[in-house]
Amino acid sequence: MSNTVYDIPAKAKRQSKRGSPAFQEFYRHFFVNSTGLIRREVDLSFLQELAPEETAIAKDLIRRNLKLNYTHIIDGAAALRDREAVPQLQDMLARESNLSRRLSTAGALWKIAEDPIFLECLRDMAESNYETLKEAHMYQIPWLGNVDAISLLIDLLKDSGSFVRHLALSALNAIEHRKHFLCSSDELPCGPSDYTSRRDDTEFMNVMVQNLCQWYNANAG
């Protein structure tokens, strides 16, 4: 996507050429070629290497362009944990009716400020009849980092969509066994009944939440 669609002040353009390698990487991914971000293939650890002045410029750039409603820009506000972006994100969410875009915006609000509207949006997703929506946003459920995430994944084991069920089961197995599996549902260590039968087991749910917080979210693709 051409960066001519973005609001980029002269100072930021200069920084994109003269700044640190980390800032140049930030600018390239967010404002020159965002394909990797959209596919969730980019390691954003370079954001931790930005100098304080560069972080301020990066946050300003993201806030200036939130109005475009691009998912990777919304995700940028979350990745930068930009609390100043919260009012703008809340206003965007209030005006948004598309559930996919609501999930993206609510997810950013959760990461920045743990806004409970995110759980409401996830529940709306889980209860919807749109399989492709669930397939596209399933990866956001573990962001909750609490028992609600595990419960939602267990709920989705009964979804009408076979691939939705597979994604939920794969995520639960990965969380429990602290290992990502690339195999069919039949080849996973535990089946749906192993989780539905234990959802009221407090000790089991506590272990799942602990694994979710300590391993799964840290190793998610």
Side-chain angles (χ1 to χ4, degrees), residues 4-114:
T4 57
V5 304
Y6 297 107
D7 178 2
I8 303 174
K11 181 178 181 181
K13 289 182 179 179
R14 290 195 298 271
Q15 194 72 12
S16 71
K17 298 176 182 177
R18 306 172 187 172
S20 69
F23 188 87
Q24 291 181 36
E25 193 168 358
F26 159 78
Y27 187 85
R28 181 174 69 254
H29 284 302
F30 282 91
F31 299 102
V32 179
N33 185 350
S34 58
T35 301
L37 289 175
I38 293 169
R39 294 176 177 172
R40 296 187 291 116
E41 297 172 345
V42 178
D43 179 356
L44 295 176
S45 59
F46 58 82
L47 295 177
Q48 307 305 314
E49 300 172 10
L50 296 173
E53 179 183 350
E54 291 179 329
T55 298
I57 295 173
K59 289 179 177 179
D60 177 69
L61 269 177
I62 293 295
R63 286 196 299 271
R64 283 174 177 271
N65 291 283
L66 281 172
K67 60 183 180 288
L68 297 173
N69 212 14
Y70 293 155
T71 299
H72 73 282
I73 297 294
I74 294 170
D75 291 346
L80 289 164
R81 300 296 193 269
D82 185 9
R83 298 194 69 86
E84 290 185 49
V86 167
Q88 191 174 352
L89 289 166
Q90 289 174 330
D91 183 61
M92 290 168 61
L93 184 63
R95 292 183 283 104
E96 184 57 69
S97 59
N98 180 278
L99 184 51
S100 180
R101 288 194 290 268
R102 284 180 62 79
L103 283 161
S104 297
T105 306
L109 285 168
W110 175 262
K111 285 193 169 185
I112 298 169
E114 294 192 355

